[in-house]
Amino acid sequence: MYNNKVRHALFSTAAIVYAVASPVQAAAQTREFAIDAQSAETAITQLGRQGDIQIIAARRLTRDVRTNAVRGEMSVDQALARLLAGTGLAARRTGPASYAIVGSANGNGRAPASPVRAAAVTVPVALAAAPAAAPQPVAAAEPASADPQAPVTSEDIIVTGFRGSLIRAQDVKRQSINVVESIMAEDMAKMPDLNLSESIQRLPGVTISREGGEGRNITLRGFSPDFTRTTLNGMEVPASSDGLDSGGFTLNAGRAFDFHVFASELFNRIDVQKTQRASIEEGGIAGTVDLYSAKPFDHPGFHVVASGQGGYNTVSRKIDPRATVMVSDTFADDTIGVLFSAAYSKRTVYQEGFSSVRWTSPFVNGDSWADTDPEVTGTPENCGAADSLDCLWAPRLPRADFFGNDQKRLGLSGSIQARPLDGLKLTFDALYSQLDNDRYSYNSMEWLLTHGPAGNYVGQTPLSFTVAPDGKQLVAAAFDDVTSWYESRHQTSTSKFSQFVFSGEYEASTNLTFDGMIGKARDSADRSELRFYARSVPHYYAYDYTGSRDVASVDYGDYDPNDPENYINALTAANRLNKVVKDNFTAKANARFQQSRFTALAGLAYSRRMVRYSEAQGALPSFAPQDYMTAFPISHFGDGVVSGGLPTFAVIDFDAIAGSGMFDDGYTANVAAGWKVVEKTTGGYGEVMGDMDIGTMILRLDAGLRYVRTDVESSAVIAGSPVEVKRHYDNLLPSFNAALNVTPQVVARFAYARSMTRPGLASLNIASPVFEYTTRTVSNLGSPDLKPYLSDDFDLGLEWYFSKSGLFAVGLFQKNIIRSLKTSVVEQMVPQEYWAAIYADPRYDASYNADPASVPYTFYKAVNSSDGDKVKGVEVTLNLPFTFLPGIFSNFGIASNYTHVEAHDSTGLSPNSYNFTGYFDTGKMGLRLSVNKRDDYLLSEPGGNGHVQERKYGPTQVDLSAYYNLTERLSFNIQGINITNERERIYGTGDGTQYLVREFSRTGAQWFVGARYQF
């Protein structure tokens, strides 16, 4: 009674939708099938998995029988009829979701007409993304009966949990004609990880960047995040957020997708398309990540899932909640389905550490130490300076760092599906996500940034120097007359994402299918920042890195950095608002014609992407700080970084500032900094697929051609005048994929494609150019004339599917970049769109002989280049369930992969990375330990402040997950993220041979304990 009331209250709205539809008889539930023509035993096993049914068959019936290919969306009975047509076999239903394979009454005589005692040959596990099948009459002659009480073998066990998700993911990879990696939810609202990017990093070729201890962007096959497209429910979507760590101003206005915006519980499947097909929209040279939210037809019937967790971080020492609920139902003979899910979490994360804010030398910096004859231990190497002490590299602003984030994340999703007519499926999906972050950060910078006599809050008096054995580094030093510039910063940010997608599929006939979708997505990310520097009286300061290259020990002598009276001046360094809005609209339609072993596809697509950036500036007063400072707010500061913690210091009291009256709510828009870029793409494609026999092997082929036109509109206000630049370009993108089923267990692959990635938005936006009229030069001007990156991609692979869900795969790839971007000096005429702004500029004068209509200017800008790069690599995967071992040991297994990538331009690239997961999974209880490791990688070359390079340490991330099912409905779980409290480190290479740490920090281990209830 209670369940009926709940169902009526939750889903009455959906009944209205159904009443509007034309009254028709209930249609058969359908599923998406992708099964090759192959041996009957293998094909029947795959159909059982993809159809979520149990099929039993005697091996003497299926031996030496070859079945037909089955592809497309259809009912289970239609799939069985197609699979067995002409084989002399038929399917007989033995239960609501079970069938037996028997000899057909009009078969070839090989099958007996008497009842068959059959053995099971299928693992009844369904693809998570496929809708469920309802029992329907089999469209075949009535076969002889089969014994439904056949003995159940080990292969009849439904595999769930982490091992089940691996099996379903491998099914997708095996059946795909292009190179695809997948991640499947272990159950409803249960992705394997709490963050989408941390799930994706388990795949070969994927590494992630973390901020504040949480994954944010992915790097696929060595390419930066801008080179990977991300789609959600079939349409490309944006996702932007503010940074969570010491990166400073990192509001994402580019093409990179911020995965941490979303709660992972909203999704049930992730596909990574590594090779191109004509039917895949263009834009991702590295690949495409496809995200899928849950649908009601995925799990027919009434379901409720609720879970709750408490999270504890070892650095912040805070307990935070995490909760999820999902309600789903199908009714009216499973022709209508409704689903709603919500996920909420709070997360308190502290990034604590020590920083040099880069090292530099007086010689590189263009100045010198004050001439105070310090005591020197060691011998400095001379670099050509008049005083060899000026060659020594020293920290610029040695400081203790604290970045405290209070994060809230809310996710909502809903889906309505209907089958109002035979062969027609309609789906409406909606998703909303909001990420709020409130950050207070405090940094105790000591002014060694510039060198020379002390005064006016800069300079210092050297007392003693200790030189490193290599003669290049000042590993320890003591000074008088150092000024503290202590930074206090409060930042708030909100990222809001919404998407609405309406899609439909219609099977016009057995051979012809149409599908289409229309969708809109918006992402807005805004940020406010209020930042102060409190400056101290001159004092003694000493640092010493001899005990650690990461964290210096410091000594203030008699000076107390915690006393507010020691601070005599404060500057407002920043008081600003920033906002990024991204809008995407997509409409597309496809047709699919299938005849025997041949399939043809064609489609059209239109997309509009808009990105708009704006900022505003508030007041920047100076003031005496003594009455606006307070004690450092964290008593255990730095305990998770170094033994004994880090030194504390006085910080700005933001509550006192708020009540001071120094700041009002007014902001002035910085119109000149604002910009907007609009991209409109119109494209179409044709694609053919088919398979053929080569002896006992099956060759699957896919070839296609995609055409796309891109229109670019870039606008800004320059010198008070609105400027808009419009350009367009066209691309033809061929693709070819071949998969050879050498045996039912071995697949060999080859792929070629021409792929593209459009220029970064920073290269396209035209805001804030610098026109110098006396020198007739132009800098800081984006170029909408830029054409996209182009690449010729080649893939070669071999996959061996062995035992029960075992996989060993090796893949080779090479991407030849035939067109890229570089910065160059170009002499050219100024485009006419800018003339009015130049003439209106008060700095322009006709006497400069700089009329843009008649004389060329020298541009420093990004241009297209044919000096191609080459990215090549190897991916190795080994998934090994220990089912060959006896007893309890058969529940163990490993899932692992290794990637090696090489490129001339190695920015953001780790040459080596690996993932290893060891698991124990019985269905009743499970435990898994995951290790992810990547090599150090390049951030910039040259680096700042004279460094040859700036690099980032490649961390080793260790995560843990365990569950115990107390009953069929109630389970308990423990999850640990970064359980070793791995360090984060950015460093410079100095003259190319040094290791000079810029930032060292930790964010702590995160533990979650909770329960999950499902019915």
Side-chain angles (χ1 to χ4, degrees):
M1 176 71 71
Y2 173 77
N3 282 350
N4 288 338
K5 290 181 178 178
V6 172
R7 291 169 61 150
H8 178 75
L10 290 174
F11 304 121
S12 58
T13 301
I16 296 174
V17 176
Y18 182 71
V20 173
S22 301
V24 295
Q25 299 212 342
Q29 286 290 333
T30 64
R31 284 186 177 274
E32 184 72 29
F33 290 94
I35 301 172
D36 295 328
Q38 56 191 302
S39 69
E41 183 172 314
T42 301
I44 291 169
T45 299
Q46 292 176 0
L47 195 148
R49 286 177 177 169
Q50 296 179 23
D52 197 16
I53 58 172
Q54 178 178 311
I55 310 176
I56 56 177
R59 286 188 171 86
R60 62 190 180 85
L61 293 179
T62 59
R63 186 185 303 117
D64 300 324
V65 174
R66 183 177 179 81
T67 55
N68 307 297
V70 179
R71 294 193 182 89
E73 187 172 355
M74 63 194 76
S75 70
V76 169
D77 295 323
Q78 288 172 327
L80 283 167
R82 289 189 186 184
L83 186 82
L84 301 175
T87 65
L89 303 176
R92 171 75 177 268
R93 182 179 303 163
T94 59
S98 61
Y99 294 78
I101 303 300
V102 296
S104 172
N106 59 350
N108 57 15
R110 291 184 300 157
S114 58
V116 178
R117 184 77 170 178
V121 295
T122 177
V123 181
V125 178
L127 285 174
Q136 299 292 332
V138 177
E142 182 70 11
S145 63
D147 184 0
Q149 304 300 319
V152 177
T153 72
S154 62
E155 291 181 337
D156 291 308
I157 298 172
I158 297 177
V159 184
T160 60
F162 182 71
R163 177 178 289 180
S165 69
L166 288 177
I167 292 173
R168 294 191 294 272
Q170 286 181 191
D171 281 343
V172 173
K173 179 181 180 70
R174 187 175 188 174
Q175 296 301 322
S176 298
I177 197 166
N178 62 321
V179 179
V180 177
E181 309 285 354
S182 294
I183 298 168
M184 300 293 188
E186 298 178 32
D187 206 338
M188 296 179 69
K190 190 181 178 184
M191 287 298 289
D193 295 276
L194 299 180
N195 179 288
L196 289 177
S197 65
E198 288 163 359
S199 286
I200 298 172
Q201 74 168 337
R202 312 287 180 212
L203 299 175
V206 179
T207 56
I208 69 173
S209 60
R210 291 183 176 85
E211 287 191 358
E214 187 175 29
R216 177 174 181 177
N217 304 127
I218 70 166
T219 297
L220 179 58
R221 289 186 160 183
F223 286 87
S224 67
D226 277 1
F227 287 83
T228 300
R229 289 178 64 250
T230 300
T231 73
L232 172 55
N233 293 326
M235 70 168 291
E236 184 178 341
V237 290
S240 298
S241 67
D242 186 22
L244 299 178
D245 64 2
S246 57
F249 179 69
T250 52
L251 198 62
N252 178 6
R255 298 187 188 275
F257 189 88
D258 290 341
F259 285 90
H260 66 174
V261 170
F262 300 100
S264 64
E265 294 91 342
L266 302 180
F267 302 90
N268 67 353
R269 175 174 169 179
I270 304 172
D271 290 341
V272 178
Q273 311 281 349
K274 290 185 174 178
T275 62
Q276 308 292 329
R277 292 175 55 184
S279 51
I280 298 175
E281 288 183 69
E282 73 294 334
I285 284 179
T288 296
V289 176
D290 297 321
L291 308 176
Y292 298 94
S293 61
K295 311 288 191 295
F297 286 170
D298 295 344
H299 299 274
F302 181 64
H303 301 277
V304 175
V305 179
S307 65
Q309 292 178 314
Y312 176 78
N313 184 279
T314 58
V315 168
S316 69
R317 303 184 185 180
K318 297 290 183 69
I319 296 176
D320 296 317
R322 186 180 185 104
T324 303
V325 63
M326 176 180 286
V327 183
S328 176
D329 196 10
T330 58
F331 42 92
D333 292 328
D334 289 336
T335 60
I336 285 187
V338 178
L339 178 146
F340 171 78
S341 66
Y344 174 80
S345 65
K346 291 183 66 176
R347 181 171 176 264
T348 305
V349 58
Y350 294 168
Q351 181 190 27
E352 299 179 351
F354 192 86
S355 174
S356 66
V357 198
R358 296 196 187 99
W359 294 61
T360 192
S361 72
F363 183 70
V364 170
N365 207 51
D367 53 22
S368 61
W369 296 110
D371 188 11
T372 58
D373 194 23
E375 179 184 348
V376 179
T377 301
T379 304
E381 180 182 275
N382 194 288
C383 60
D387 185 345
S388 58
L389 291 177
D390 291 338
C391 296
L392 294 171
W393 292 75
R396 297 167 64 245
L397 294 165
R399 70 186 196 186
D401 288 337
F402 172 83
F403 300 90
N405 297 280
D406 289 308
Q407 183 187 91
K408 297 178 183 179
R409 179 164 43 209
L410 172 67
L412 304 172
S413 74
S415 181
I416 299 175
Q417 291 186 293
R419 300 184 190 276
L421 301 170
D422 284 341
L424 175 64
K425 181 176 72 173
L426 303 176
T427 301
F428 176 75
D429 293 307
L431 190 145
Y432 175 84
S433 184
Q434 180 170 328
L435 177 67
D436 297 306
N437 193 58
D438 191 7
R439 172 166 61 176
Y440 288 90
S441 48
Y442 307 108
N443 313 102
S444 61
M445 297 181 293
E446 308 302 329
W447 192 272
L448 304 182
L449 176 64
T450 56
H451 316 93
N456 196 28
Y457 304 105
V458 297
Q460 59 287 127
T461 301
L463 301 177
S464 65
F465 286 168
T466 300
V467 182
D470 65 1
K472 300 178 181 180
Q473 184 180 352
L474 192 57
V475 293
F479 304 90
D480 266 338
D481 305 318
V482 175
T483 300
S484 301
W485 287 59
Y486 282 10
E487 180 181 81
S488 298
R489 179 167 38 172
H490 182 210
Q491 295 161 308
T492 60
S493 63
T494 298
S495 301
K496 296 180 180 180
F497 174 91
S498 60
Q499 185 202 39
F500 303 94
V501 175
F502 179 74
S503 60
E505 303 173 26
Y506 178 61
E507 186 176 355
S509 67
T510 305
N511 306 101
L512 184 61
T513 303
F514 298 95
D515 69 81
M517 62 85 66
I518 184 169
K520 180 176 177 59
R522 164 168 280 214
D523 181 271
S524 64
D526 59 68
R527 162 179 166 160
S528 67
E529 178 182 11
L530 188 59
R531 179 161 44 106
F532 304 100
Y533 290 123
R535 302 191 289 190
S536 74
V537 297
H539 58 81
Y540 174 85
Y541 175 76
Y543 72 84
D544 189 348
Y545 278 96
T546 58
S548 169
R549 66 178 180 176
D550 297 318
V551 180
S553 60
V554 300
D555 182 10
Y556 288 96
D558 296 333
Y559 174 77
D560 183 5
N562 295 285
D563 184 357
E565 297 301 322
N566 283 327
Y567 299 87
I568 58 176
N569 176 268
L571 300 174
T572 305
N575 181 16
R576 60 185 177 186
L577 303 175
N578 305 86
K579 185 169 187 176
V580 171
V581 176
K582 298 180 179 180
D583 273 320
N584 280 29
F585 171 82
T586 297
K588 55 185 177 182
N590 304 283
R592 179 189 185 104
F593 178 79
Q594 182 173 336
Q595 183 68 48
S596 183
R597 302 173 72 172
F598 166 85
T599 302
L601 300 92
L604 298 171
Y606 169 81
S607 293
R608 181 185 185 274
R609 309 174 191 90
M610 185 279 292
V611 182
R612 183 176 65 247
Y613 172 79
S614 61
E615 65 180 53
Q617 185 68 51
L620 301 172
S622 297
F623 56 94
Q626 294 87 343
D627 296 333
Y628 304 102
M629 300 192 76
T630 188
F632 196 85
I634 308 298
S635 61
H636 50 84
F637 176 49
D639 286 351
V641 179
V642 293
S643 177
L646 294 166
T648 60
F649 46 93
V651 300
I652 291 290
D653 184 341
F654 283 93
D655 289 335
I657 289 290
S660 68
M662 283 190 293
F663 297 90
D664 56 31
D665 295 331
Y667 289 87
T668 301
N670 185 357
V671 176
W675 54 269
K676 184 171 78 170
V677 172
V678 177
E679 281 182 346
K680 299 176 184 178
T681 61
T682 305
Y685 75 92
E687 184 177 346
V688 294
M689 296 187 296
D691 60 70
M692 64 181 69
D693 297 327
I694 303 179
T696 60
M697 300 182 294
I698 304 170
L699 178 62
R700 294 178 287 150
L701 300 171
D702 171 273
L705 181 66
R706 186 174 192 88
Y707 162 79
V708 61
R709 173 189 168 108
T710 303
D711 291 274
V712 179
E713 302 172 7
S714 185
S715 58
V717 175
I718 301 174
S721 300
V723 178
E724 184 177 59
V725 179
K726 296 183 179 182
R727 301 288 187 268
H728 78 272
Y729 51 85
D730 303 271
N731 292 99
L732 281 174
L733 305 170
S735 61
F736 175 78
N737 291 271
L740 178 65
N741 291 8
V742 181
T743 71
Q745 291 77 37
V746 178
V747 180
R749 298 184 184 274
F750 170 78
Y752 161 76
R754 169 71 58 86
S755 62
M756 62 177 280
T757 290
R758 295 180 176 89
L761 296 171
S763 302
L764 298 177
N765 93 71
I766 60 174
S768 304
V770 178
F771 293 101
E772 295 294 344
Y773 304 114
T774 57
T775 57
R776 294 192 294 279
T777 59
V778 183
S779 59
N780 198 45
L781 178 62
S783 176
D785 297 292
L786 290 171
K787 303 296 191 298
Y789 293 83
L790 288 179
S791 173
D792 282 331
D793 306 335
F794 299 89
D795 279 73
L796 191 64
L798 188 65
E799 301 159 8
W800 175 34
Y801 299 86
F802 60 90
S803 182
K804 300 174 183 177
S805 70
L807 169 65
F808 177 74
V810 178
L812 305 175
F813 64 88
Q814 180 166 309
K815 295 179 180 290
N816 299 326
I817 310 299
I818 58 176
R819 185 167 69 202
S820 61
L821 270 64
K822 69 176 183 180
T823 301
S824 185
V825 179
V826 179
E827 186 172 289
Q828 66 173 65
M829 300 298 294
V830 176
Q832 187 171 355
E833 291 93 340
Y834 302 99
W835 293 359
I838 290 175
Y839 295 144
D841 189 344
R843 298 183 305 113
Y844 174 78
D845 191 292
S847 64
Y848 294 150
N849 191 26
D851 186 349
S854 58
V855 296
Y857 279 55
T858 300
F859 285 72
Y860 299 84
K861 66 174 187 176
V863 297
N864 286 117
S865 170
S866 59
D867 298 333
D869 194 2
K870 182 182 295 184
V871 179
K872 58 183 179 180
V874 58
E875 300 168 344
V876 182
T877 301
L878 175 61
N879 295 341
L880 180 62
F882 294 168
T883 51
F884 54 87
L885 295 178
I888 193 172
F889 299 105
S890 65
N891 297 310
F892 285 90
I894 62 173
S896 60
N897 58 73
Y898 163 78
T899 303
H900 174 76
V901 184
E902 297 177 4
H904 297 305
D905 178 6
S906 58
T907 302
L909 182 151
S910 293
N912 299 287
S913 62
Y914 69 82
N915 300 281
F916 176 87
T917 297
Y919 63 87
F920 173 80
D921 202 338
T922 67
K924 176 74 172 178
M925 62 181 296
L927 171 71
R928 73 174 183 267
L929 183 72
S930 298
V931 180
N932 172 266
K933 171 65 178 173
R934 64 181 297 187
D935 285 351
D936 294 7
Y937 55 97
L938 179 66
L939 293 177
S940 60
E941 184 176 14
N945 302 108
H947 289 263
V948 173
Q949 289 184 340
E950 194 158 22
R951 303 180 64 83
K952 189 163 187 177
Y953 168 73
T956 302
Q957 178 92 358
V958 183
D959 303 326
L960 179 144
S961 179
Y963 75 91
Y964 177 74
N965 293 333
L966 184 65
T967 68
E968 290 185 357
R969 294 182 176 179
L970 178 63
S971 64
F972 297 95
N973 55 75
I974 298 175
Q975 291 176 288
I977 299 173
N978 187 30
I979 63 176
T980 60
N981 190 18
E982 176 66 307
R983 60 192 176 274
E984 298 181 27
R985 182 192 291 127
I986 297 174
Y987 61 93
T989 63
D991 64 4
T993 65
Q994 298 170 272
Y995 196 101
L996 305 174
V997 175
R998 184 184 107 183
E999 297 175 15
F1000 178 87
S1001 64
R1002 296 182 192 269
T1003 55
Q1006 186 85 27
W1007 292 95
F1008 293 89
V1009 178
R1012 172 185 170 89
Y1013 188 79
Q1014 178 174 352
F1015 68 89

